[in-house]
Amino acid sequence: MSPVPQTSLNTGTTIPQLGFGVYQIEPEQTVEAVSTALEVGYRHIDTAQMYQNEAQVGEAVETFGRSEVFITSKLNNGFHRPDDARRAFDETLTKLRSDSVDLFLIHWPLPTLYDGDFVSTWRVLTELLSDGRAKAVGVSNFQVPHLERLAAETDVVPAVNQVEVHPYLTNEAVRAYGLEHGIVTEAWSPIAQGAVLDDPVITGIAEQVGRTPAQVVLRWHVQRGDVVFPKSTTPARIRENFALFDFELDEDAMSAVSGLDRGEDGRTGPNPDVFDYLPD
Ligand code: NAD
C-alpha cells in the first residue's frame, strides 16, 4: 500500500498527491533518477515537452510498468496553434511509449502571443480528452482572468492548474479560484528550488518536529491539499522528499509557514501575464 494519498480530479480519476518532477534533469540522468524515484515509491512523474526528457521518462516507466505510474506532460510554448498542438501531442505519446497520458497541460498561457488566443489551444486538449488519449487535461501558469476566460468560452473545466507555490509565494487568489471551481492546484517549485530551506521559521519548525526543512515545507503543501512533485537527482533527497506521511504540522506551524508569503516579491519564476518565451 502506498502511503501517498490520492487527490480526486474532476474527471472522476485520481492523481497521487506526491510525485517526482523532472525539470532540469538532463536526458542522460533521467532514466536513473526516475527509476530511483519509482523504487522509492513515487508513482507520479511530472515532465514536459520543454524538459526534453519525455523519451527517458518513457523508458524508465516502461521498464517499471506503465500501468503503475501516473504521467503528466505539457504542451510546449511553440505549439499553441491547433495543428501544431495535435502533432506535438502525438510525439509526446511516442516518446512516452504509451497510447495515452494521464494528464496533459498547456504549459504557459502566453497571453501576449498568438493574438492572446489560448482558447483554441484548450479546445485541442479537450479533443484529446474526448478521444481518450489524455485521461485528464489541465493548464499551467494560468492566472484567474485566464481561467475565467476558459470558463466563459468553453465547456471543459481544467482538471488542474499547475502554478508556482511555496512559502514565499503562497498564490492564494489562484488557489482559491481552483478550490471554488473544482480545479486541483499543483504547486511547482514547492521548495522554491531550495531558497526557502534556510529560512529561520522553517529550520525552527524542522528542529521542533525532528524533520528536515524540505520535509516541513513539502508537508505544509500536502496539508494545504495541493499536489507536489519535488525534483532531485540525489537518491538520499529523493527518499527524504517521499517521507512525508508519518508526521503532521500543527496549526501554529502551518500558519507560521503561510506567514512567510511575500506576494509577488516572492515569485522565483516568470510572471505568467508577461512570459513569452518560445524555445528554439
Ligand atoms: P523544487 O522546488 O522541487 O526544487 C528542486 C531543487 O531543490 C533541486 O534541484 C535540489 O537542488 C533542491 N532539493 C531537492 N530536494 C532537496 C532536499 N531534500 N534538500 C535540499 N535541497 C533539495 O524545484 P523545481 O524542480 O523547479 O520544481 C519541481 C517540479 O515542478 C519540476 O521538476 C517540474 O516538474 C515542475 N515545474 C513546473 C513548472 C511549470 O511552469 N509548470 C515550472 C517549474 C517547475
Side-chain angles (χ1 to χ4, degrees):
M1 246 326 252
S2 170
V4 178
Q6 296 282 328
T7 299
S8 296
L9 299 176
N10 63 13
T11 48
T13 53
T14 62
I15 181 171
Q17 197 185 0
L18 174 66
F20 183 68
V22 297
Y23 175 47
Q24 290 176 330
I25 302 186
E26 294 299 325
E28 309 78 62
Q29 284 189 295
T30 302
V31 172
E32 194 180 333
V34 171
S35 302
T36 302
L38 294 171
E39 276 160 34
V40 165
Y42 294 81
R43 294 291 180 269
H44 161 190
I45 309 296
D46 185 87
T47 185
Q49 293 170 353
M50 200 186 289
Y51 305 166
Q52 299 192 354
N53 54 21
E54 287 174 303
Q56 291 74 21
V57 168
E59 184 183 336
V61 169
E62 185 180 66
T63 305
F64 188 82
R66 171 68 184 96
S67 63
E68 305 290 310
V69 185
F70 187 106
I71 306 180
T72 300
S73 192
K74 316 183 191 86
L75 182 71
N76 212 343
N77 291 351
F79 303 139
H80 275 214
R81 289 194 187 87
D83 282 346
D84 294 336
R86 291 186 191 100
R87 239 188 332 264
F89 180 77
D90 289 346
E91 268 181 45
T92 280
L93 291 189
T94 303
K95 288 183 174 156
L96 292 176
R97 306 183 186 194
S98 187
D99 51 17
S100 67
V101 67
D102 300 284
L103 178 61
F104 194 65
L105 311 180
I106 299 180
H107 204 148
W108 289 89
L110 308 175
T112 63
L113 299 180
Y114 301 105
D115 299 321
D117 172 26
F118 44 76
V119 176
S120 58
T121 315
W122 177 242
R123 290 191 204 285
V124 173
L125 267 67
T126 68
E127 286 170 23
L128 305 172
L129 179 70
S130 302
D131 72 22
R133 292 189 303 151
K135 303 290 179 207
V137 291
V139 294
S140 177
N141 299 300
F142 273 46
Q143 306 273 53
V144 170
H146 305 142
L147 296 167
E148 284 171 338
R149 184 154 164 221
L150 292 188
E153 296 184 34
T154 76
D155 295 330
V156 181
V157 179
V160 312
N161 185 20
Q162 182 178 130
V163 291
E164 181 177 346
V165 185
H166 46 69
Y168 291 159
L169 177 68
T170 59
N171 224 335
E172 298 307 345
V174 173
R175 292 179 73 251
Y177 183 96
L179 197 62
E180 198 182 325
H181 295 87
I183 303 169
V184 167
T185 296
E186 298 190 323
W188 66 249
S189 289
I191 56 174
Q193 299 203 334
V196 296
L197 301 182
D198 296 329
D199 191 288
V201 169
I202 307 281
T203 54
I205 296 169
E207 221 162 278
Q208 257 173 33
V209 299
R211 293 292 176 141
T212 67
Q215 288 171 328
V216 167
V217 176
L218 294 170
R219 179 71 207 181
W220 171 81
H221 285 285
V222 166
Q223 286 183 214
R224 276 156 56 94
D226 292 353
V227 170
V228 279
F229 21 80
K231 171 253 172 181
S232 175
T233 50
T234 310
R237 285 177 171 174
I238 295 175
R239 272 192 294 279
E240 175 187 330
N241 296 345
F242 191 75
L244 307 179
F245 304 103
D246 55 351
F247 76 107
E248 251 182 84
L249 299 178
D250 63 21
E251 266 178 46
D252 287 350
M254 287 296 294
S255 45
V257 178
S258 302
L260 296 174
D261 184 28
R262 298 173 180 175
E264 275 306 310
D265 290 344
R267 202 182 275 285
T268 62
N271 184 322
D273 288 324
V274 294
F275 188 59
D276 60 359
Y277 168 70
L278 291 178
D280 298 332

